[in-house]
Amino acid sequence: MENKAIARTLRLLSQLMELHSENPFKIKTIANAALKVDKLSFAIADKSLLEMEQVERLGKSTAAKIWGLVHENSIPELHNLIEKTPEGIVEMLGIKGIGPKKIIVIWKDLGIENVGELYYACNENRLVEAKGFGSKTQEEIIRIIEFKMASSGRYLYARVEKYAEDLMGELKLLLTNTLVNFTGDYRRKCEIIDGLDILCGTKLTETIIANIQKAGLTITEQHTNRLSTKNQDGIIIYFDFCANEEFGWQMIEKTGNQEHATNVKLLLAGSDLSGKSEKEIYNLAGLQFIEPELRENTNELELSKTNSLPVLINLKDLKGSLHNHSTWSDGVNSLEEMALFCRDDLKMQYFGICDHSKSAFYASGLNEIRVSAQQREIDELNKKLAPFHIFKGIESDILYNGSLDYSDEVLQTFDFVVASVHSILKMTEEKATQRLITAIENPFTTILGHPTGRMLLTRSGYPIDHKKVIDACAANKVVIEINANPLRLDLDWRWHRYAIEKGVLLSVNPDAHRISGFMDMHYGILVARKGGVAAANCLNAMNLQEITEYFINKKATVQP
Ligand SMILES: [Zn+2]
Ligand SMILES: [Zn+2]
């Protein structure tokens, strides 16, 4: 075992001791030992226990720990501390710039247990008021985590979208008289992408290269018909080049996915594709034009053969926004500000407020008294804002046993209830599935919120049996949320079709914690389209009258 590895382990031990508020002198001893071992000029692992003890001021007890680590591959104290600490907290200790003191606050005061949640909390402005933090620290943590995410070479679609669209605008100006468009994962609106792909309907020439460089890209590799480049932030952008008359077919081929393109090609056997547009080529193959986001080789070819592709939902189909937060819990804008933005800027007909429930102490969840105070405010606002309507909702925590955290008397004061899991996320698939199903079977549950709790790129969700959960929603007439926050996009689009087949409605919910959060509905719509969702499958595509009746009917199913 190398000194570096030993030093790292000792450092982790000292950090965990600090996290669990152990004796400061002992912590200091271990932290110093870590530094010392790191600087030794010989391999300490090769020494006997006696020799270790004699290494300059290392001391008996530390030497014993190192001996144990080298020869038994364990330090019992470390093992015990790791057992007591959530995995995600241990991972957080590995991030430069967030020390144990801050992690104690993050973990104990804010109830955050991993990097994904931390990133999410930063984006929701939740760190600003925490002890020892401020907006500067919060910005710094966002930067550190984003750097860590980007170093994996994978990006959230939402993080590159603006750059990608600006780049395309610039390229279109630079490459005059040239067909140019996105292909690949980005064009298929995949939630995570590992770079951008661009197709140009022209030969690759020196002039083209010069223009691409003008757009701020560095060429990293060059082939006859392909260029690899990267931008200043390290995002990789591939360019493919083809003859102008091949552009239509090449768009299909390069957009993919590969199986989709191959299957389309099989239907085209021998046809002359020269000069034909994408749409013409699909028609030639006996198919309806297939939107890029549907090209995942699921059932899109079969549907398109029989002219039965869904008419995909658009942002303008949404008539209201459900599941949002305000200053009543952890939001940034007041209830009235949020509602007015929906009415006046988004031209919507209704707004659903779903502040956190009482178990979410870290997010100032509402106790029963505050619930009724908020509902009085809503009654007043509804008089003022009519015919626009605010629905009284709540994001009720699903407790570990699957129950919601208010009594039935309180639950029945809401127009609708979003039930979500926020704590104790470490569960087996069986446990998680049962926990959700119990909540779904609660007659007060209207919408199941972010079903797996995943944070894209930073935390996989708890494992669930999607079919069982969706079947339970079908049986209990519970809507499933498509949480539109680009970090969540949960329910995953791969399960939308199954939900639709079972007659389950989906709801595109921004989970907005501030006015700008409503914009996430754009990303929710992109994944809904990818999942094959039409307006008729979407709860908040209902107009005010329809959704009012929907909520009343759902509540009417509760047995008194
Ligand atoms: Zn939530
Ligand atoms: Zn929420």
Side-chain angles (χ1 to χ4, degrees):
M1 191 176 246
E2 288 184 23
N3 288 355
K4 276 247 174 299
I6 297 171
R8 233 184 354 251
T9 310
L10 290 174
R11 193 174 135 73
L12 176 62
L13 175 59
S14 74
Q15 289 176 319
L16 283 166
M17 288 164 74
E18 194 174 345
L19 204 59
H20 291 275
S21 313
E22 298 205 354
N23 181 324
F25 293 105
K26 287 190 180 162
I27 297 171
K28 189 112 201 186
T29 307
I30 301 292
N32 285 340
L35 292 173
K36 213 174 291 171
V37 169
D38 200 20
K39 289 194 185 123
L40 290 176
S41 56
F42 53 86
I44 192 166
D46 299 340
K47 304 290 171 191
S48 70
L49 179 57
L50 201 66
E51 287 168 321
M52 284 184 188
E53 286 171 5
Q54 281 155 4
V55 171
E56 182 210 357
R57 294 192 314 269
L58 210 50
K60 271 197 174 183
S61 95
T62 309
K65 289 186 177 71
I66 298 175
W67 176 266
L69 179 63
V70 172
H71 295 279
E72 280 145 33
N73 205 18
S74 91
I75 304 176
E77 290 93 330
L78 178 63
H79 179 79
N80 292 340
L81 288 170
I82 287 178
E83 286 280 283
K84 286 200 280 183
T85 318
E87 216 175 303
I89 294 290
V90 179
E91 189 195 342
M92 237 180 257
L93 286 168
I95 301 180
K96 268 205 184 103
I98 318 176
K101 280 193 187 61
K102 288 209 167 63
I103 295 180
I104 292 175
V105 178
I106 290 171
W107 179 22
K108 303 285 180 180
D109 295 354
L110 299 169
I112 293 167
E113 297 201 339
N114 62 57
V115 179
E117 283 171 33
L118 177 60
Y119 184 63
Y120 185 74
C122 288
N123 281 321
E124 280 174 8
N125 213 29
R126 211 179 276 167
L127 262 66
V128 170
E129 287 174 25
K131 200 170 72 196
F133 290 80
S135 52
K136 241 185 159 167
T137 320
Q138 180 170 278
E139 286 307 311
E140 181 63 11
I141 293 178
I142 291 180
R143 205 189 56 74
I144 293 168
I145 299 177
E146 284 187 347
F147 181 78
K148 194 174 175 270
M149 295 202 299
S151 66
S152 69
R154 305 176 74 213
Y155 305 88
L156 294 179
Y157 177 94
R159 250 200 92 218
V160 290
E161 186 187 41
K162 168 125 194 3
Y163 169 74
E165 297 303 321
D166 289 351
L167 175 67
M168 185 53 73
E170 204 176 343
L171 286 172
K172 286 198 166 147
L173 292 178
L174 288 165
L175 309 176
T176 41
N177 300 323
T178 304
L179 291 169
V180 42
N181 205 344
F182 286 114
T183 58
D185 295 356
Y186 180 79
R187 186 167 183 237
R188 296 203 319 282
K189 310 280 195 290
C190 294
E191 67 277 32
I192 292 173
I193 60 172
D194 51 17
L196 297 170
D197 298 276
I198 293 174
L199 179 66
C200 304
T202 180
K203 258 208 191 98
L204 175 54
T205 62
E206 288 306 316
T207 324
I208 299 271
I209 291 183
N211 279 321
I212 286 175
Q213 285 168 326
K214 264 188 216 158
L217 303 178
T218 310
I219 315 287
T220 53
E221 231 179 280
Q222 185 178 345
H223 301 277
T224 326
N225 292 319
R226 190 167 166 85
L227 271 187
S228 304
T229 71
K230 68 178 183 210
N231 79 351
Q232 284 177 338
D233 297 325
I235 299 177
I236 295 176
I237 299 129
Y238 297 106
F239 287 85
D240 286 297
F241 299 85
C242 68
N244 184 292
E245 26 338 320
E246 287 170 22
F247 194 77
W249 167 251
Q250 285 295 320
M251 279 299 290
I252 297 178
E253 169 117 13
K254 296 287 189 307
T255 298
N257 70 13
Q258 218 180 340
E259 292 87 357
H260 172 92
T262 308
N263 289 333
V264 174
K265 192 161 199 176
L266 286 175
L267 297 170
L268 287 165
S271 314
D272 177 18
L273 307 179
S274 177
K276 296 207 162 49
S277 71
E278 255 190 318
K279 184 171 183 305
E280 287 165 343
I281 295 172
Y282 275 109
N283 294 345
L284 199 60
L287 301 166
Q288 269 179 287
F289 176 76
I290 301 176
E291 296 287 354
E293 51 267 57
L294 286 179
R295 302 181 196 172
E296 294 289 345
N297 199 38
T298 56
N299 61 350
E300 73 274 13
L301 286 184
E302 292 150 50
L303 292 178
S304 124
K305 275 179 204 162
T306 52
N307 258 345
S308 23
L309 284 171
V311 179
L312 299 179
I313 190 166
N314 281 301
L315 196 55
K316 66 169 174 29
D317 292 320
L318 299 184
K319 300 291 186 287
S321 170
L322 305 165
H323 189 174
N324 303 289
H325 299 258
S326 73
T327 43
W328 278 91
S329 67
D330 58 347
V332 173
N333 291 100
S334 72
L335 183 51
E336 182 169 13
E337 286 165 349
M338 294 291 275
L340 281 175
F341 189 82
C342 270
R343 186 186 75 168
D344 299 339
D345 292 73
L346 302 176
K347 309 287 178 222
M348 288 183 153
Q349 303 174 4
Y350 54 89
F351 166 73
I353 185 73
C354 286
D355 276 307
H356 284 287
S357 63
K358 62 180 178 182
S359 307
F361 60 91
Y362 49 85
S364 315
L366 272 54
N367 62 23
E368 288 78 355
I369 295 167
R370 295 180 66 229
V371 166
S372 60
Q374 186 187 54
Q375 293 185 349
R376 281 197 299 278
E377 182 181 326
I378 295 172
D379 289 334
E380 287 309 308
L381 283 172
N382 273 337
K383 280 182 216 153
K384 197 165 132 189
L385 305 181
F388 184 85
H389 192 76
I390 303 175
F391 286 107
K392 297 169 185 165
I394 193 79
E395 182 173 21
S396 180
D397 265 39
I398 300 175
L399 304 178
Y400 193 62
N401 66 4
S403 55
L404 303 182
D405 66 344
Y406 293 114
S407 67
D408 287 2
E409 291 71 56
V410 176
L411 287 171
Q412 62 102 21
T413 64
F414 298 108
D415 296 315
F416 73 111
V417 173
V418 174
S420 314
V421 169
H422 290 117
S423 57
I424 326 183
L425 306 177
K426 213 171 161 185
M427 295 175 280
T428 61
E429 178 176 315
E430 206 187 347
K431 170 67 199 171
T433 304
Q434 194 46 55
R435 185 175 176 186
L436 292 190
I437 290 176
T438 306
I440 291 163
E441 286 171 348
N442 187 313
F444 289 104
T445 300
T446 322
I447 301 176
L448 175 65
H450 43 73
T452 73
R454 74 178 183 186
M455 295 286 164
L456 290 170
L457 291 181
T458 52
R459 174 180 93 197
S460 50
Y462 37 83
I464 61 168
D465 183 328
H466 279 86
K467 281 196 174 162
K468 280 189 187 160
V469 169
I470 293 170
D471 291 347
C473 287
N476 294 280
K477 297 254 175 300
V478 167
V479 178
I480 303 180
E481 164 172 287
I482 299 172
N483 191 294
N485 186 302
L487 274 167
R488 293 191 182 270
L489 303 175
D490 181 14
L491 182 71
D492 189 285
W493 61 265
R494 293 159 190 83
W495 288 100
H496 295 180
R497 280 179 183 74
Y498 183 74
I500 293 167
E501 266 168 40
K502 294 285 157 179
V504 173
L505 284 175
L506 299 158
S507 185
V508 177
N509 294 347
D511 201 353
H513 285 67
R514 66 184 79 194
I515 278 167
S516 60
F518 287 117
M519 300 312 166
D520 287 349
M521 284 192 282
H522 164 65
Y523 301 107
I525 286 290
L526 293 186
V527 289
R529 290 172 61 87
K530 210 164 166 49
V533 177
N537 310 121
C538 180
L539 176 69
N540 57 321
M542 289 183 183
N543 66 31
L544 176 58
Q545 192 191 340
E546 290 163 340
I547 201 165
T548 305
E549 281 166 24
Y550 183 88
F551 287 154
I552 290 172
N553 290 338
K554 169 70 187 167
K555 271 183 80 171
T557 62
V558 180
Q559 304 292 330

mmCIF file of all heavy atoms in Angstrom, residues 120 323 325 354 356 395 422 450 483 511 513, ligand 2:
data_model
loop_
_atom_site.group_PDB
_atom_site.id
_atom_site.type_symbol
_atom_site.label_atom_id
_atom_site.label_comp_id
_atom_site.label_asym_id
_atom_site.label_seq_id
_atom_site.Cartn_x
_atom_site.Cartn_y
_atom_site.Cartn_z
ATOM 1 N N TYR A 120 -29.030 20.317 -6.016
ATOM 2 C CA TYR A 120 -30.431 20.707 -6.158
ATOM 3 C C TYR A 120 -30.785 21.814 -5.154
ATOM 4 O O TYR A 120 -31.400 22.818 -5.494
ATOM 5 C CB TYR A 120 -31.286 19.462 -5.921
ATOM 6 C CG TYR A 120 -32.755 19.642 -6.144
ATOM 7 C CD1 TYR A 120 -33.266 19.747 -7.429
ATOM 8 C CD2 TYR A 120 -33.644 19.681 -5.067
ATOM 9 C CE1 TYR A 120 -34.628 19.890 -7.647
ATOM 10 C CE2 TYR A 120 -34.996 19.825 -5.273
ATOM 11 C CZ TYR A 120 -35.488 19.930 -6.558
ATOM 12 O OH TYR A 120 -36.828 20.067 -6.765
ATOM 13 N N HIS A 323 -47.930 21.916 -8.626
ATOM 14 C CA HIS A 323 -46.693 21.629 -7.893
ATOM 15 C C HIS A 323 -45.656 22.751 -7.998
ATOM 16 O O HIS A 323 -44.727 22.681 -8.802
ATOM 17 C CB HIS A 323 -46.052 20.297 -8.341
ATOM 18 C CG HIS A 323 -44.909 19.898 -7.434
ATOM 19 N ND1 HIS A 323 -44.265 18.688 -7.558
ATOM 20 C CD2 HIS A 323 -44.318 20.543 -6.403
ATOM 21 C CE1 HIS A 323 -43.319 18.613 -6.646
ATOM 22 N NE2 HIS A 323 -43.325 19.723 -5.937
ATOM 23 N N HIS A 325 -43.728 25.944 -5.290
ATOM 24 C CA HIS A 325 -43.472 26.357 -3.903
ATOM 25 C C HIS A 325 -43.458 27.886 -3.799
ATOM 26 O O HIS A 325 -43.256 28.582 -4.782
ATOM 27 C CB HIS A 325 -42.137 25.790 -3.427
ATOM 28 C CG HIS A 325 -42.103 24.284 -3.446
ATOM 29 N ND1 HIS A 325 -42.250 23.533 -2.312
ATOM 30 C CD2 HIS A 325 -41.986 23.403 -4.467
ATOM 31 C CE1 HIS A 325 -42.199 22.242 -2.628
ATOM 32 N NE2 HIS A 325 -42.042 22.131 -3.929
ATOM 33 N N CYS A 354 -48.024 23.933 -3.918
ATOM 34 C CA CYS A 354 -47.734 22.694 -3.190
ATOM 35 C C CYS A 354 -46.507 22.901 -2.333
ATOM 36 O O CYS A 354 -45.441 22.330 -2.601
ATOM 37 C CB CYS A 354 -47.472 21.552 -4.164
ATOM 38 S SG CYS A 354 -48.945 20.931 -4.956
ATOM 39 N N HIS A 356 -44.085 22.545 0.984
ATOM 40 C CA HIS A 356 -43.713 21.309 1.669
ATOM 41 C C HIS A 356 -44.577 21.064 2.909
ATOM 42 O O HIS A 356 -45.071 21.998 3.530
ATOM 43 C CB HIS A 356 -42.247 21.352 2.079
ATOM 44 C CG HIS A 356 -41.321 21.115 0.927
ATOM 45 N ND1 HIS A 356 -41.147 19.872 0.357
ATOM 46 C CD2 HIS A 356 -40.539 21.966 0.217
ATOM 47 C CE1 HIS A 356 -40.285 19.965 -0.650
ATOM 48 N NE2 HIS A 356 -39.907 21.232 -0.755
ATOM 49 N N GLU A 395 -47.329 19.471 -1.069
ATOM 50 C CA GLU A 395 -46.440 18.368 -1.413
ATOM 51 C C GLU A 395 -46.221 17.601 -0.123
ATOM 52 O O GLU A 395 -45.394 17.964 0.708
ATOM 53 C CB GLU A 395 -45.104 18.857 -1.992
ATOM 54 C CG GLU A 395 -44.214 17.680 -2.388
ATOM 55 C CD GLU A 395 -42.940 18.067 -3.124
ATOM 56 O OE1 GLU A 395 -42.508 19.233 -3.002
ATOM 57 O OE2 GLU A 395 -42.381 17.200 -3.810
ATOM 58 N N HIS A 422 -39.022 12.296 0.220
ATOM 59 C CA HIS A 422 -37.893 13.214 0.350
ATOM 60 C C HIS A 422 -36.825 12.723 1.307
ATOM 61 O O HIS A 422 -35.746 13.289 1.374
ATOM 62 C CB HIS A 422 -38.362 14.599 0.833
ATOM 63 C CG HIS A 422 -39.135 15.347 -0.194
ATOM 64 N ND1 HIS A 422 -40.438 15.699 -0.016
ATOM 65 C CD2 HIS A 422 -38.796 15.782 -1.418
ATOM 66 C CE1 HIS A 422 -40.869 16.349 -1.090
ATOM 67 N NE2 HIS A 422 -39.886 16.405 -1.955
ATOM 68 N N HIS A 450 -42.208 13.250 -8.344
ATOM 69 C CA HIS A 450 -40.894 12.664 -8.712
ATOM 70 C C HIS A 450 -40.699 11.225 -8.210
ATOM 71 O O HIS A 450 -40.023 10.999 -7.204
ATOM 72 C CB HIS A 450 -39.719 13.565 -8.306
ATOM 73 C CG HIS A 450 -39.799 14.186 -6.934
ATOM 74 N ND1 HIS A 450 -39.623 13.478 -5.779
ATOM 75 C CD2 HIS A 450 -40.037 15.459 -6.545
ATOM 76 C CE1 HIS A 450 -39.723 14.279 -4.734
ATOM 77 N NE2 HIS A 450 -39.988 15.489 -5.176
ATOM 78 N N ASN A 483 -41.640 15.443 -13.363
ATOM 79 C CA ASN A 483 -41.011 16.590 -12.731
ATOM 80 C C ASN A 483 -40.075 17.225 -13.748
ATOM 81 O O ASN A 483 -39.175 16.585 -14.278
ATOM 82 C CB ASN A 483 -40.243 16.154 -11.478
ATOM 83 C CG ASN A 483 -39.796 17.335 -10.651
ATOM 84 O OD1 ASN A 483 -38.971 18.129 -11.087
ATOM 85 N ND2 ASN A 483 -40.344 17.463 -9.451
ATOM 86 N N ASP A 511 -42.224 22.202 -10.422
ATOM 87 C CA ASP A 511 -41.685 22.184 -9.064
ATOM 88 C C ASP A 511 -40.927 23.498 -8.836
ATOM 89 O O ASP A 511 -39.828 23.506 -8.277
ATOM 90 C CB ASP A 511 -40.744 20.976 -8.909
ATOM 91 C CG ASP A 511 -40.541 20.560 -7.455
ATOM 92 O OD1 ASP A 511 -41.021 21.289 -6.564
ATOM 93 O OD2 ASP A 511 -39.910 19.513 -7.223
ATOM 94 N N HIS A 513 -39.519 26.854 -7.520
ATOM 95 C CA HIS A 513 -39.263 27.459 -6.209
ATOM 96 C C HIS A 513 -39.067 28.962 -6.331
ATOM 97 O O HIS A 513 -38.732 29.643 -5.374
ATOM 98 C CB HIS A 513 -38.038 26.826 -5.563
ATOM 99 C CG HIS A 513 -38.307 25.452 -5.015
ATOM 100 N ND1 HIS A 513 -38.587 24.375 -5.832
ATOM 101 C CD2 HIS A 513 -38.366 24.985 -3.744
ATOM 102 C CE1 HIS A 513 -38.779 23.305 -5.072
ATOM 103 N NE2 HIS A 513 -38.649 23.642 -3.803
HETATM 104 ZN ZN ZN B 2 -41.623 20.253 -4.709
#
